[in-house]
C-alpha cells in the first residue's frame, strides 16, 4: 500500500471512497472534504513519445496489495469496465477487500450514482487469486504494497517471467524512486509510476511517473489508460516528491513557521488561508485530517531527499505534536481538540469600528489599485492626492497608509498597515492586516474600519515579513518554478496537479499570472533580507523568470 500523505481537496471527502455514476471511469462528484495523498519521483526516456490508445475495457488489470489504496485502484478499474484480479499475500485481507468493494458499489447504487446492472457487472469482473501465477494474463499490473524497495523489486521480478512481454507494470510508490524499482528488471522500460491519491475512486489526479529507463510509449499508454478511467493524468519526472509532494510543502511549512513566530494562532491562520487565500482547508485543520505523523514523515522525507535544504525544513512544533502522540482526528487531538463536544477555537476577528470618512490615493497600480476600486464601490469617498506627495498606498485620514503585504515589515517610524494578499479581494470574506509596530492606534483602527466597510472580517496579525497568504504563495511559486526548470513537469501539469491533487484554488503559475510581474521574486528577496537562513532566498529559476523573461508569460 502506498505510503502517501492524504490531504483535502475542495468538495472531496473521505466518505465511502466510491466512484461516480454515469458509466465507467467517471469519478464521484464529491460531497464533503476528502483525504488526499502525497508522492515521490520521475520522467525520462530514450524513445520519442508516441500517441497511445488506452487499454481496452476488456483487458485484465491485476492489482497487488489489498489495502486501502489497492482496493481503491481495483474499484476504479472495475468501474472502467476491466476484469480485475486482486492478489494479496494475506488471503483473508483479499477476501475482505472484495466484500468492501462490493459494499462501496452498493452505496453507489443507493445514492443513484450507479445502477444495479452496472454494479452486478462490476462485481462479476472482480476475483481474487492465491498466487502471482494467477496474474499471468494481465495487460496491466499495479502494485500497492509496502513502501519497501526490495519487496517491490522481488514482486516485479517474479511477475516478469509470468506475464506477456507487452504487459505494463505500474508502481504506486510515493517515496521510492521509480527508476530504482525498475532497476531489478530485465525489461525496465515497461515499468511506470502511477501515483493515485487517496481515496483513489474519488480523487481525480494521477501522477504518471516515467523513470530513467521507462519507455515513452509505456508512459503514454499509462497516461491514456488512467485518463480513460476518468482521471486527470499529469506527467512527472522521477525526482523526490513528484509534483504534489514537492510543490505543496510551503502550504504547510509557512503556516507552521508563522505559528512558531507567534504571528497568529492556528485558527486564525487557517481562516485567513481559507477565506482570503481561497484554499479549501487551512494547513492546521488539513494536517489534523491527514495525520500529523503522516504529514511530518512526508515533509521529512522530501527534506532529506533534497539534502536537508532549508526550503523544505520541517517544523519543530509539528515534531512535538508527533512526539506527544497528538496526531489529529485519529487520536482525538492534534492542533485542535477533536474529542466529542470540544469547541473549535474561533479565528481572531476585530470588533466593529467606524469606517474612515474618506481615503486618499496617489498614482496607484497593481494590488493597491484593486483595493482603491473596492473602496470606491463601497461608497467611501476616494480623494486624489494631487499635492505632489508620494503615497505608498491608500492614505487614511489620520495620515497612515494601507499597503499590500511585502516581504519585509514596514520598519521604524512608519504609519503603515499591511494587508495580506487575497485570491480575489472582491470575493474574500476575511482579510488579514498587520499594523507596523510603530503605527498609532488611530491608524490601526482606521484600517480595520476600512475593510469592515468593504464587508470583510478583519484578523489583525503580527507584523511579520510576508504575512500569511502572500508568504505562502510566494514560496509556492518559487518551488514550482524550480521544479519546472529542472524538468520535473510542465507548468500546465504543475497547476493541474495542485488543483486536482492538493485542492488549491489555482496552481502556482495561476497565482503568478494574477500578480504583478516579478512579484514573487521581490517578496522573497525582501524576506531573505530579514530571515537570511536560505529558506527565502529566491531560486535561480525564479530569477530567470523575473529578469530573463523565461516561463510561459516571459
Amino acid at each position: 500500500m502506498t505510503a502517501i500523505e492524504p490531504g483535502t481537496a475542495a468538495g472531496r471527502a473521505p466518505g465511502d471512497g466510491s466512484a461516480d455514476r454515469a458509466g465507467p471511469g467517471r469519478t464521484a462528484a464529491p460531497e464533503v472534504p476528502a483525504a488526499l495523498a502525497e508522492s515521490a519521483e520521475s520522467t525520462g526516456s530514450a524513445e520519442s513519445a508516441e500517441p497511445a490508445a488506452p487499454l481496452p475495457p476488456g483487458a485484465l488489470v491485476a492489482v497487488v496489495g489489498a489495502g486501502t489504496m489497492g482496493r481503491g485502484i481495483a474499484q476504479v478499474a472495475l468501474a472502467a469496465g476491466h476484469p480485475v484480479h486482486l492478489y494479496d499475500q494475506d488471503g483473508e485481507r483479499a477476501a475482505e477487500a472484495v466484500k468492501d468493494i462490493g459494499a462501496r458499489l452498493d452505496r453507489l447504487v443507493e445514492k443513484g450514482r450507479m445502477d444495479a446492472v452496472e454494479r452486478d457487472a462490476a462485481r462479476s469482473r472482480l476475483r481474487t487469486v492465491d498466487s502471482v501465477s494467477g496474474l499471468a494474463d494481465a495487460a496491466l499490473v499495479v502494485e500497492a504494497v509496502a513502501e519497501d524497495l526490495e519487496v517491490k523489486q522481488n514482486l516485479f521480478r517474479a511477475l516478469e517471467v509470468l506475464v506477456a512481454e507487452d504487459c505494463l507494470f505500474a508502481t504506486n510508490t510515493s517515496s521510492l524512486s521509480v527508476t530504482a524499482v525498475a532497476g531489478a528488471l530485465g525489461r525496465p522500460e515497461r515499468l511506470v509510476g502511477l501515483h493515485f491519491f487517496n481515496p483513489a475512486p474519488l480523487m481525480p489526479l494521477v501522477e504518471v511517473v516515467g523513470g530513467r529507463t521507462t519507455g515513452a510509449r509505456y508512459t503514454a499508454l499509462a497516461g491514456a489508460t488512467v485518463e480513460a478511467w476518468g482521471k486527470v493524468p499529469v506527467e512527472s519526472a522521477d525526482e523526490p516528491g513528484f509534483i504534489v509532494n514537492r510543490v505543496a510543502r510551503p502550504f504547510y511549512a509557512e503556516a507552521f513557521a508563522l505559528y512558531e513566530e507567534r504571528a497568529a494562532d492556528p485558527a486564525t491562520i487557517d481562516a485567513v488561508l481559507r477565506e482570503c487565500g481561497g484554499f479549501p482547508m487551512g494547513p492546521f485543520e488539513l494536517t489534523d485530517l491527514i495525520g500529523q505523523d503522516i504529514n511530518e514523515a512526508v515533509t521529512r522525507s522530501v527534506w532529506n531527499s533534497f539534502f536537508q535544504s532549508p526550503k523544505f525544513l520541517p517544523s519543530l512544533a509539528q515534531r512535538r505534536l508527533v512526539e506527544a502522540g497528538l496526531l489529529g482526528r485519529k487520536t482525538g487531538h492534534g492542533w485542535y481538540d477533536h474529542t466529542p463536544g470540544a469547541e473549535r477555537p474561533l479565528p481572531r476577528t476585530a470588533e466593529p469600528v467606524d469606517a474612515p470618512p474618506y481615503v486618499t490615493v496617489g498614482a496607484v497600480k497593481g494590488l493597491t489599485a484593486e483595493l482603491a476600486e473596492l473602496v470606491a464601490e463601497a461608497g467611501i469617498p476616494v480623494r486624489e492626492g494631487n499635492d505632489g506627495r508620494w503615497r505608498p498606498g491608500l492614505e487614511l485620514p489620520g495620515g497612515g497608509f494601507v499597503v499590500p503585504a511585502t516581504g519585509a515589515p514596514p520598519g521604524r517610524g512608519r504609519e503603515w498597515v499591511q494587508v495580506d494578499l487575497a485570491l480575489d479581494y472582491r470575493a474574500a470574506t476575511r482579510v488579514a492586516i498587520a499594523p507596523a509596530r510603530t503605527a498609532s492606534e488611530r491608524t490601526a483602527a482606521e484600517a480595520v474600519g476600512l475593510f469592515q466597510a468593504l464587508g470583510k472580517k478583519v484578523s489583525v496579525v503580527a507584523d511579520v515579513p510576508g504575512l500569511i497568504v502572500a508568504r505562502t504563495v510566494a514560496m509556492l511559486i518559487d518551488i514550482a518554478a524550480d521544479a519546472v526548470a529542472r524538468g520535473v513537469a510542465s507548468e500546465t501539469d504543475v497547476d493541474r496537479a495542485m488543483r486536482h491533487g492538493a485542492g488549491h484554488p489555482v496552481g502556482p503559475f495561476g497565482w503568478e499570472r494574477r500578480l504583478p510581474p516579478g512579484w514573487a521574486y521581490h517578496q522573497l528577496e525582501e524576506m531573505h533580507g530579514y530571515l537570511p537562513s536560505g529558506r527565502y532566498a529566491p531560486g535561480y529559476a525564479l530569477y530567470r523568470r523575473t529578469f530573463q523573461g523565461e516561463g510561459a508569460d516571459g
Side-chain angles (χ1 to χ4, degrees):
M1 180 168 58
T2 182
I4 54 178
E5 168 189 283
T8 295
R12 295 192 171 82
D16 56 36
S18 45
D20 198 1
R21 68 124 48 263
R26 297 185 182 273
T27 45
E31 301 157 276
V32 237
L36 296 188
E38 297 235 3
S39 57
E41 318 198 23
S42 155
T43 258
S45 170
E47 301 178 32
S48 57
E50 302 172 4
L55 291 176
L60 176 63
V61 173
V63 177
V64 182
T68 301
M69 184 57 72
R71 297 176 192 195
I73 295 170
Q75 183 182 332
V76 171
L78 286 169
H82 292 276
V84 174
H85 286 184
L86 181 63
Y87 169 69
D88 193 289
Q89 282 187 324
D90 184 340
E92 289 186 8
R93 185 159 74 158
E96 289 171 5
V98 171
K99 292 178 182 177
D100 181 42
I101 293 169
R104 295 181 188 181
L105 297 176
D106 287 341
R107 286 195 290 271
L108 288 179
V109 174
E110 291 168 7
K111 294 179 179 182
R113 296 177 180 173
M114 175 182 279
D115 63 39
V117 173
E118 291 172 332
R119 175 200 60 196
D120 293 344
R123 277 180 169 169
S124 71
R125 292 194 296 270
L126 176 62
R127 60 170 290 195
T128 62
V129 296
D130 56 12
S131 72
V132 292
S133 61
L135 310 178
D137 294 332
L140 165 64
V141 179
V142 185
E143 68 79 12
V145 300
E147 286 292 271
D148 182 295
L149 179 60
E150 187 176 358
V151 169
K152 293 179 189 291
Q153 287 180 329
N154 287 341
L155 169 65
F156 284 117
R157 201 181 279 121
L159 286 166
E160 194 170 34
V161 300
L162 295 172
V163 299
E165 288 190 0
D166 59 352
C167 177
L168 175 64
F169 287 165
T171 173
N172 189 51
T173 184
S174 64
S175 61
L176 300 174
S177 162
V178 173
T179 304
V181 175
L185 300 181
R187 293 192 55 211
E189 70 275 7
R190 62 170 162 175
L191 186 137
V192 301
L194 284 182
H195 181 221
F196 287 80
F197 286 66
N198 191 31
L202 282 177
M203 296 302 297
L205 188 73
V206 177
E207 292 177 319
V208 180
V209 185
R212 179 76 174 176
T213 53
T214 304
R217 69 187 183 94
Y218 290 102
T219 304
L221 172 61
T225 296
V226 295
E227 187 170 28
W229 292 0
K231 298 301 182 182
V232 177
V234 291
E235 290 193 18
S236 173
D238 189 18
E239 292 205 7
F242 301 149
I243 301 172
V244 174
N245 283 357
R246 179 177 184 150
V247 177
R249 299 267 58 84
F251 180 69
Y252 310 108
E254 294 314 311
F256 300 160
L258 287 161
Y259 169 76
E260 291 172 348
E261 293 166 20
R262 295 298 184 260
D265 59 280
T268 299
I269 295 171
D270 276 352
V272 170
L273 283 163
R274 281 195 320 267
E275 301 170 38
C276 185
F279 295 92
M281 293 183 77
F284 295 93
E285 59 188 341
L286 178 53
T287 53
D288 266 3
L289 174 62
I290 291 166
Q292 298 303 329
D293 53 339
I294 296 173
N295 180 265
E296 202 251 1
V298 173
T299 297
R300 191 170 292 275
S301 173
V302 173
W303 178 58
N304 284 324
S305 294
F306 284 100
F307 307 103
Q308 301 186 345
S309 164
K311 295 273 186 184
F312 300 102
L313 187 68
S315 161
L316 181 59
Q318 188 182 37
R319 175 96 289 258
R320 292 293 179 259
L321 283 182
V322 174
E323 290 173 340
L326 303 175
L327 307 182
R329 292 189 185 183
K330 62 188 176 184
T331 61
H333 208 299
W335 296 109
Y336 299 110
D337 184 351
H338 299 280
T339 55
E343 292 187 10
R344 181 70 172 267
L346 298 175
R348 187 184 307 164
T349 304
E351 294 294 325
V353 297
D354 293 336
Y358 64 88
V359 297
T360 306
V361 300
V364 295
K365 59 181 180 179
L367 301 180
T368 305
E370 290 183 33
L371 294 173
E373 184 178 332
L374 290 180
V375 170
E377 290 177 6
I380 299 173
V382 177
R383 300 179 177 181
E384 290 189 12
N386 51 14
D387 53 6
R389 178 184 170 196
W390 176 72
R391 289 174 171 81
L394 305 179
E395 185 176 5
L396 300 165
F401 292 91
V402 171
V403 299
T406 69
R412 294 175 60 84
R414 294 280 180 89
E415 282 288 329
W416 284 11
V417 176
Q418 292 197 74
V419 57
D420 208 351
L421 177 67
L423 178 67
D424 180 342
Y425 282 112
R426 181 171 278 100
T429 57
R430 180 182 298 271
V431 296
I433 65 170
R437 298 177 188 205
T438 51
S440 66
E441 290 186 9
R442 175 176 177 176
T443 293
E446 287 180 341
V448 169
L450 176 65
F451 287 103
Q452 288 176 340
L454 302 184
K456 317 298 182 189
K457 295 176 183 176
V458 179
S459 291
V460 180
V461 302
D463 183 22
V464 295
L467 298 192
I468 298 171
V469 181
R471 179 171 177 164
T472 301
V473 168
M475 284 295 286
L476 287 169
I477 293 172
D478 184 49
I479 297 297
D482 180 73
V484 169
R486 294 178 186 276
V488 175
S490 67
E491 289 184 20
T492 298
D493 275 358
V494 168
D495 276 357
R496 287 177 60 166
M498 298 310 294
R499 292 197 321 271
H500 295 289
H504 288 195
V506 295
F509 301 107
W511 277 106
E512 185 183 52
R513 288 187 289 272
R514 289 166 175 257
L515 293 163
W519 177 89
Y521 180 89
H522 296 299
Q523 287 284 121
L524 293 175
E525 186 179 44
E526 287 189 335
M527 287 191 65
H528 179 60
Y530 282 83
L531 303 167
S533 65
R535 178 184 184 123
Y536 301 108
Y540 184 50
L542 194 58
Y543 170 85
R544 295 203 307 265
R545 296 177 75 85
T546 304
F547 297 107
Q548 296 178 4
E550 295 193 12
D553 300 310

